[in-house]
Amino acid sequence: MEKLNLNQRYTVDEFLELELKHDRYELHEGYPVLMSPASAGHEAIIASLIGELVSALKGSRCTVFGSNLAVIPFDKEIKDWEKEKFYYPDISVICDTKKIHQGKCYGAPDLVVEVLSPSTSRTDLVTKLNDYEKSGVKEYWIVDHSNQYIAKYVLTNHSFVREDVFDAEAYFSSTIFPEITFAVKDIFRFYNHFGLEEN
């Protein structure tokens, strides 16, 4: 099995055949990118969000996934380096189970959530936002714990519109899943209580 070369471009199919050992990599325009381990604060926020989502969507046909679900947002038949992407979103919600094959999501999740960290902020705010938009993700949340807010982007006429920014005093509500509502302060409570910080 071929070993990973960080300076080499790979298609998604080639990337899936690599021997990656214990590290986790994403694929950005064909190039492997090493993912840094998440901090305790980052994980606390993700856990709080997953709890809210699972509770709200209980009994629906949608499933909530954490950061171990790989998402391949673009059709692998499209031969374009810019679309050779392989991501591990912090949270995904997928309602079409036909998109799940061999433990991976092929196509756009309905909802994606990314929690910002120093090493991923630009990627989450620019690169992934654009890719999730182009691939057809219906709603995208960016969670900024440093400034205590959640920004909500909703796909409208094939483009993301930032519908709202919810601060720590606000009550968040999803557009595509009206049953998802929660107090933003509850998402950050463990982070704030324990004084957790990013690495």
Side-chain angles (χ1 to χ4, degrees):
M1 188 176 287
E2 183 184 354
K3 298 293 181 66
L4 181 69
N5 181 347
L6 295 179
N7 297 314
Q8 178 178 329
R9 259 183 163 173
Y10 298 91
T11 65
V12 168
D13 286 340
E14 291 169 341
F15 184 69
L16 290 173
E17 294 176 358
L18 294 173
E19 182 181 351
L20 299 180
K21 296 185 178 180
H22 303 297
D23 292 324
R24 290 212 307 172
Y25 292 84
E26 292 188 330
L27 195 67
H28 296 198
E29 296 186 5
Y31 287 107
V33 176
L34 178 65
M35 297 184 68
S36 301
S39 70
H42 192 101
E43 288 297 299
I45 290 169
I46 291 172
S48 294
L49 283 166
I50 287 176
E52 295 287 353
L53 293 174
V54 168
S55 177
L57 295 174
K58 185 176 181 180
S60 77
R61 62 189 179 87
C62 304
T63 303
V64 182
F65 294 91
S67 60
N68 285 321
L69 180 74
V71 170
I72 300 162
F74 295 105
D75 188 332
K76 64 179 181 179
E77 299 303 318
I78 299 173
K79 300 305 178 186
D80 180 345
W81 283 118
E82 291 187 358
K83 289 186 169 60
E84 295 295 346
K85 312 278 186 171
F86 182 99
Y87 292 145
Y88 285 103
D90 287 323
I91 302 172
S92 304
V93 175
I94 298 167
C95 301
D96 182 359
T97 57
K98 293 178 181 177
K99 292 183 178 181
I100 306 296
H101 300 283
Q102 297 181 331
K104 301 174 183 62
C105 175
Y106 289 84
D110 296 84
L111 167 67
V112 171
V113 182
E114 296 284 9
V115 179
L116 298 183
S117 62
S119 61
T120 66
S121 291
R122 177 169 175 77
T123 298
D124 293 339
L125 290 166
V126 180
T127 305
K128 289 187 177 180
L129 186 148
N130 289 332
D131 289 338
Y132 293 147
E133 175 186 73
K134 290 175 183 176
S135 66
V137 171
K138 296 176 184 176
E139 190 165 305
Y140 179 41
W141 306 351
I142 291 177
V143 182
D144 185 333
H145 58 81
S146 296
N147 296 299
Q148 306 274 291
Y149 73 76
I150 301 175
K152 179 180 68 173
Y153 294 80
V154 178
L155 196 67
T156 306
N157 296 323
H158 307 292
S159 297
F160 273 148
V161 174
R162 192 173 75 173
E163 280 197 350
D164 213 335
V165 176
F166 301 83
D167 64 23
E169 301 306 314
Y171 215 74
F172 183 92
S173 61
S174 167
T175 297
I176 66 167
F177 297 111
E179 61 269 46
I180 297 176
T181 61
F182 53 82
V184 175
K185 65 181 179 181
D186 289 344
I187 301 304
F188 298 116
R189 72 182 185 278
F190 291 117
Y191 181 90
N192 295 331
H193 179 70
F194 293 109
L196 298 172
E197 297 180 356
E198 288 295 316
N199 294 332

